[in-house]
Amino acid sequence: PPGQESGLIGIAVDPNYLSNGFVYLFHTTIDGSENRITRVRDVAGSGTQATVVTPPGALPNHPFRIHNGGVMTFGPDGMLYVSTGDAENQFTPQDPTSWQGKILRFQPPNLSFPADNPVPNSPVYAFGIRNTFGLAFHPRQPWLYGSENGYLVGDEINRIVAGGNHGWPQHEGPTSEGSGLVDPLLTVDPQPVFTGIGFYQGSRYPAYRDHLFVCQWLQGEVRALRLSQSGNGIVDDFLFADHGHAFGVTTGPDGNLWVLHGPSLGGASEVGRYVPQNGPAASIELVSMSGPVVGGSLTVGVEAPAGMFVGPWVASQRYAPPVPTPLGVLEAPLDALLPVVLVPPSGFTCIAIPVPNVATLVGLDVHAQAATADPTTFGLALTNAPSIQLR
């Protein structure tokens, strides 16, 4: 339906996508009366077997179709986390029986309720949410963060606490000691209209690794936050870019920062990339695109001139010190060779690597590197060697 914050609002890819092809959609019904989560299966690039996996009436829409939330992400525990707005009803965020004004937690693929949720026999994971456009897990810790659109005091960045009451509508911004409410990490007034958030985990911007990037829709800015070691504070906060109104931000499979732009709150229209200048002629990236890596998959992104051959491999250790060779610095020994790829005209391709669900793999550091061959110049070289920790 037209208008406001309705339509296709959220999307999440199942960690076991390589085997089951499942994708989850948070969307408004055609008549605009409610929101639902529907699971589809990717078959040859088409969504099939659409199955509504939320009960009828669980997420009613507001007549003005606002405060729906709808952002979804998989956690390192394999569960699906979903934000819901209060639908302009100030009673729902504090009502434990309502699914609105909450962070919800589900067990895929049928979205059953995990037995260890804070509210028994319920998907409710956290309370007191007004409206959230952004959810993101820390890439190295099981910490969940969310953006919050405020009313009078300002917009917030919150570390979401299991069973925690994040205040709305009782309170906005920092609270007094002993209130029993969860304080935000950051409150900004006047409201910048926080939308999407995401952690950077690539190697293109080493200084920003593990920083939390936040879209400020109203100013058309993206800010970067460096968190404290505990994850409960912000030690650095600065403007990263101001190139347009953004709804979402994430690390792309090429290791660059990808941003979803749109001219109005009615929807996004393009995906842009922040690409550092003077980068290597050919490079690879190792990125976890969704949810847990162990039992899911890693993505190796290859960016190089079109027509180049790239032979990537992965390793569980690094040479210390790295080994100089005539082709460049060899940093990762070859444990497992990946398919050699011919870079297409777009200059980018990626390879998905399934990771077995084996407990001993959790915490393992994985490194990648690649040999490149340019058939036009007969040039041979080695790429960079990014790393990632399995979780």
Side-chain angles (χ1 to χ4, degrees):
Q4 301 301 323
E5 302 161 13
S6 293
L8 176 59
I9 307 174
I11 184 169
V13 178
D14 194 291
N16 295 309
Y17 171 83
L18 292 181
S19 58
N20 62 27
F22 287 156
V23 177
Y24 303 83
L25 310 174
F26 189 109
H27 63 95
T28 310
T29 56
I30 294 176
D31 64 5
S33 63
E34 64 176 302
N35 299 295
R36 294 174 178 169
I37 301 176
T38 295
R39 187 190 68 219
V40 299
R41 187 190 297 272
D42 181 352
V43 177
S46 296
T48 65
Q49 304 172 26
T51 304
V52 177
V53 284
T54 48
L59 295 169
N61 206 344
H62 184 272
F64 294 156
R65 298 167 182 166
I66 58 176
H67 290 200
N68 290 319
V71 180
M72 304 188 294
T73 187
F74 277 94
D77 56 2
M79 303 299 170
L80 180 64
Y81 292 76
V82 180
S83 74
T84 64
D86 65 1
E88 279 285 82
N89 182 336
Q90 295 194 8
F91 295 100
T92 59
Q94 298 296 326
D95 179 358
T97 66
S98 170
W99 287 20
Q100 293 180 300
K102 309 291 193 305
I103 303 297
L104 308 177
R105 178 175 180 258
F106 297 97
Q107 169 80 55
N110 297 320
L111 301 200
S112 57
F113 307 153
D116 59 347
N117 270 3
V119 178
N121 302 312
S122 168
V124 172
Y125 184 76
F127 297 81
I129 304 296
R130 184 171 184 262
N131 197 42
T132 295
F133 281 113
L135 282 179
F137 272 95
H138 192 282
R140 303 177 194 279
Q141 300 290 344
W143 303 335
L144 177 62
Y145 296 84
S147 62
E148 174 91 14
N149 300 126
Y151 179 56
L152 294 175
V153 174
D155 289 354
E156 300 174 354
I157 298 297
N158 292 297
R159 179 170 168 184
I160 305 299
V161 176
N165 188 342
H166 290 269
W168 179 254
Q170 295 172 234
H171 194 87
E172 292 184 273
T175 64
S176 58
E177 186 175 352
S179 69
L181 303 178
V182 180
D183 271 356
L185 271 67
L186 175 71
T187 303
V188 178
D189 187 35
Q191 284 96 330
V193 186
F194 286 151
T195 47
I197 65 174
F199 282 93
Y200 181 70
Q201 55 172 316
S203 63
R204 293 299 190 94
Y205 296 95
Y208 295 105
R209 190 167 177 87
D210 293 348
H211 279 51
L212 179 61
F213 283 78
V214 179
C215 298
Q216 300 186 155
W217 186 88
L218 192 61
Q219 294 97 339
E221 297 175 345
V222 177
R223 71 195 300 163
L225 309 176
R226 183 164 65 92
L227 302 179
S228 64
Q229 191 171 7
S230 68
N232 288 320
I234 296 171
V235 297
D236 206 359
D237 174 5
F238 49 91
L239 176 68
F240 178 81
D242 57 354
H243 295 148
H245 303 298
F247 286 94
V249 59
T250 190
T251 307
D254 57 358
N256 293 308
L257 197 69
W258 289 25
V259 181
L260 182 66
H261 287 110
S264 74
L265 283 175
S269 58
E270 65 178 15
V271 176
R273 298 188 303 162
Y274 290 106
V275 180
Q277 296 180 341
N278 303 318
S283 68
I284 64 169
E285 292 293 330
L286 198 57
V287 177
S288 169
M289 296 303 295
S290 178
V293 179
V294 175
S297 65
L298 282 175
T299 299
V300 177
V302 178
E303 192 165 32
M308 181 175 282
F309 290 94
V310 179
W313 66 85
V314 293
S316 60
Q317 58 182 315
R318 295 187 84 129
Y319 288 125
V323 180
T325 77
L327 304 182
V329 177
L330 182 63
E331 297 186 56
L334 194 159
D335 286 351
L337 183 65
L338 302 177
V340 175
V341 296
L342 174 64
V343 180
S346 65
F348 173 75
T349 188
C350 58
I351 305 167
I353 309 173
V355 180
N357 191 11
V358 178
T360 55
L361 294 178
V362 176
L364 179 70
D365 288 325
V366 174
H367 317 279
Q369 198 164 11
T372 67
D374 188 338
T376 62
T377 63
F378 301 101
L380 300 174
L382 293 172
T383 68
N384 57 317
S387 302
I388 194 170
Q389 187 178 73
L390 302 186
R391 60 177 189 165

